[in-house]
């Protein structure tokens, strides 16, 4: 049986299954021995393994000592320690007195082979909590999520936030930091999608002067800057695959090394990561390392899109209006349009719509500029000039589409070119080409046009 098959068999990487809020647990699975396939849950503190009946895991094999080894948990780390066994304890291919366990590690006691296996267990918590930091919701799913985040925030557990662009992952990460013992330390954000691939290693780990062409001075990386605090790695799915094992080692070994440096630097940081993609599927397709996924997904917190919790729209509108007006003050037409809109940009799009309405003193939300044209309730309008030849009319229509798409895309992503290109699934260079075509600077919005 292959390694990937064994790990997948724990249902951690169940392709096609909906992502649920979960906490990571570990088990021992017998690969070779008197009872292949048998599973033991690890104890909260220490799990003793041996032939004696007084052990937590009893291995009835003559090559196993009465008390063979123990697995001890400290925070998020698991340590394997031999108990002076006769035939030794082996971690992968090395006999050890003591060693750190990684998800999927093989442990051999005499002739018995075990695997240290992670499994994500869904959690259901009380849905009484209506807010978490700056996040508010009436949705049962979100309120359960708030309860989970409130439970794990005071710990040092790594959290993986999953959700579409604009759902509030950054706000959730900041709230986790502010409700943790690290709240007085720095909160550092690294957006993997907004940093070019050739600079992201330096952004993470820092560099010494002369480490590469253009490194004219020593620079601390994000991991070093947030010592004693929280590092929020946004769009972790965009982290280049060749850097993923280096990040894994830094998180596990609690040391980093700047590019071009020889001396290691101690690391004291909590990592919160976010992804717009389901990292389970990214692992199965080979785009994301399995071991880093397991390390990041100690707590999985999926944030549902706004279209799946429309009961939150009135609550959020009141929050964004900030006392200038209230949901109940809006016209029936405005409330219907706000409630029925699909909000592909989620909370960020709603906030931008409210801010635009406030800026134009249009709290009735009656103006067409409040919503993207193609998302209005009466459907898209295709204005075709029949006085022009077909080719010219087509070119004119395409040009208007490009301008409207650029305007709404850049508005949704607040002028961030990297995020806009990624959301549109186009090369960033092509996005710049389109801007140049219309004589616009990077991030500048095309003007509104009368239809």
């Amino acid at each position: 049986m292959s390694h990937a098959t064994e790990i997948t068999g724990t249902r951690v990487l169940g392709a096609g299954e909906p992502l649920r809020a979960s906490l990571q647990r570990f088990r021992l699975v017998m690969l070779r021995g008197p009872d292949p396939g048998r599973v033991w849950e690890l104890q909260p503190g220490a799990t003793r393994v041996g032939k004696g009946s007084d052990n937590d895991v009893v291995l009835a094999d003559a090559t196993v000592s009465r008390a063979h080894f123990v697995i001890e948990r400290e925070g998020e780390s698991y340590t394997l320690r031999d108990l002076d066994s006769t035939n030794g304890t082996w971690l992968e291919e090395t006999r050890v007195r003591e060693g750190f366990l990684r998800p999927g590690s093989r442990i051999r006691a005499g002739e018995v082979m075990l695997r240290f296996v992670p499994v994500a267990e869904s959690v259901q918590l009380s849905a009484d909590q209506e807010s978490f930091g700056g996040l508010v919701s009436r949705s049962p799913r979100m309120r359960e999520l708030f309860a989970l985040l409130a439970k794990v925030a005071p710990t040092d557990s790594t959290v993986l936030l999953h959700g579409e662009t604009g759902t509030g992952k950054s706000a959730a990460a900041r709230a986790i930091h502010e409700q943790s013992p690290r709240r007085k330390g720095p909160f550092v954000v690294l957006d993997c999608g907004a940093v070019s691939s050739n600079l992201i290693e330096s952004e993470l780990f820092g560099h010494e002067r002369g480490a590469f062409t253009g490194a004219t001075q020593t620079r601390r990386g994000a991991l070093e800057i947030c010592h004693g605090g929280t590092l929020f790695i946004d769009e972790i799915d965009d982290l280049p695959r060749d850097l993923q094992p280096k990040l894994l080692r830094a998180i596990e070994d609690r040391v980093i090394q700047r590019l071009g440096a020889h001396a290691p630097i101690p690391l004291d940081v909590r990592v919160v990561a976010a992804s717009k993609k389901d990292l389970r599927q990214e692992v199965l397709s080979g785009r994301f390392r399995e071991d880093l996924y397991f390390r990041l997904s100690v707590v999985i917190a999926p944030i549902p899109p706004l279209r799946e919790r429309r009961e939150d729209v009135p609550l959020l509108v009141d929050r964004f209006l900030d006392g200038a007006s209230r949901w109940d003050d809006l016209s029936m037409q405005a409330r219907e349009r706000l409630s029925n809109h699909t909000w592909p940009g989620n909370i960020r799009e709603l906030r931008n719509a409210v801010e635009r309405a406030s800026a134009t003193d249009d709290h009735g939300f009656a103006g067409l500029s409040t919503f993207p044209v193609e998302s209005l309730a009466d459907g898209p309008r295709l204005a075709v000039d029949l006085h022009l030849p077909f080719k010219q009319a087509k070119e004119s229509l395409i040009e208007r589409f490009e301008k409207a798409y650029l305007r709404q895309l850049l508005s949704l992503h607040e002028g961030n070119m990297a995020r806009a290109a990624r959301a549109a699934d186009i090369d960033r260079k092509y996005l710049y080409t389109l801007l140049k075509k219309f004589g616009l600077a990077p991030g500048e919005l095309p003007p509104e046009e009368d239809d």
Side-chain angles (χ1 to χ4, degrees), residues 185-430:
F187 177 76
V188 179
V189 179
L190 176 66
D191 187 343
C192 296
V195 182
S196 61
S197 57
N198 62 322
L199 292 178
I200 196 165
E201 184 173 10
S202 173
E203 289 290 328
L204 260 176
F205 301 100
H207 62 257
E208 295 290 331
R209 178 180 178 181
F212 52 85
T213 303
T216 58
Q217 59 184 3
T218 298
R219 185 178 185 279
R220 295 192 302 159
L223 284 163
E224 185 178 352
I225 291 172
C226 68
H227 184 81
T230 303
L231 175 62
F232 174 46
I233 307 179
D234 201 4
E235 309 294 7
I236 188 74
D237 48 287
D238 284 328
L239 182 68
R241 202 174 192 283
D242 60 337
L243 285 183
Q244 293 174 19
K246 188 170 183 179
L247 175 60
L248 174 64
R249 286 194 298 272
I251 296 174
E252 289 199 331
D253 299 343
R254 298 290 176 177
V255 293
I256 57 171
Q257 199 165 307
R258 296 176 188 158
L259 294 177
H262 300 290
I265 300 172
L267 181 66
D268 176 20
V269 61
R270 180 192 197 165
V271 173
V272 177
S275 172
K276 62 186 178 299
K277 298 178 182 177
D278 186 342
L279 288 188
R280 301 172 304 175
Q281 187 59 48
E282 294 298 291
V283 169
L284 292 173
S285 58
R287 292 186 292 268
F288 202 85
R289 288 182 61 103
E290 183 181 62
D291 48 6
L292 179 57
Y293 168 75
F294 287 137
R295 190 62 186 81
L296 295 173
S297 60
V298 174
V299 178
I300 298 178
I303 304 178
L306 187 54
R307 63 181 174 275
E308 295 180 6
R309 47 186 176 104
R310 298 192 188 192
E311 63 267 44
D312 287 343
V313 171
L315 192 66
L316 292 167
V317 169
D318 282 344
R319 168 68 63 94
F320 298 144
L321 286 171
D322 195 24
S325 184
R326 292 190 61 79
W327 172 263
D328 292 339
D329 299 329
L330 304 182
S331 68
M332 180 66 71
Q333 179 190 16
R335 282 181 284 175
E336 287 180 356
R337 293 181 67 187
L338 288 164
S339 297
N340 294 331
H341 187 57
T342 57
W343 301 111
N346 293 294
I347 296 174
R348 182 178 294 137
E349 182 186 0
L350 175 60
R351 184 186 65 230
N352 290 345
V354 173
E355 288 179 355
R356 282 197 299 271
S358 298
T360 57
D361 196 28
D362 182 20
H363 291 167
F365 292 85
L368 293 179
S369 62
T370 302
F371 297 99
V373 173
E374 74 275 13
S375 298
L376 293 176
D378 56 355
R381 292 188 291 172
L382 188 64
V384 178
D385 190 347
L386 296 177
H387 296 92
L388 294 176
F390 172 80
K391 183 177 180 181
Q392 291 182 19
K394 177 182 177 182
E395 291 174 350
S396 174
L397 185 62
I398 291 174
E399 182 174 302
R400 294 203 307 275
F401 162 76
E402 289 176 340
K403 283 185 178 180
Y405 190 92
L406 277 175
R407 180 171 63 249
Q408 295 158 24
L409 178 69
L410 293 174
S411 175
L412 176 61
H413 297 283
E414 301 174 338
N416 187 305
M417 299 292 286
R419 288 184 176 178
R422 188 168 60 248
D425 198 21
I426 59 176
D427 189 273
R428 201 185 311 182
K429 292 181 180 178
Y430 182 67

Side-chain angles (χ1 to χ4, degrees), residues 105-154:
S105 294
R106 290 176 300 160
I107 306 167
R108 181 161 64 87
E111 294 300 320
V112 175
M113 183 74 75
L114 305 167
R115 188 180 291 283
F116 180 67
V117 175
V119 59
E121 294 185 352
S122 296
V123 293
Q124 290 186 336
L125 299 170
S126 170
D128 296 333
Q129 190 162 336
E130 296 186 355
S131 66
F132 181 71
L135 301 172
V136 293
S137 180
R138 293 177 179 142
S139 160
R141 287 174 61 189
M142 285 295 291
R143 289 163 66 178
E144 286 181 3
L145 181 65
F146 293 163
L148 172 65
L149 296 181
K151 179 179 180 180
V152 302

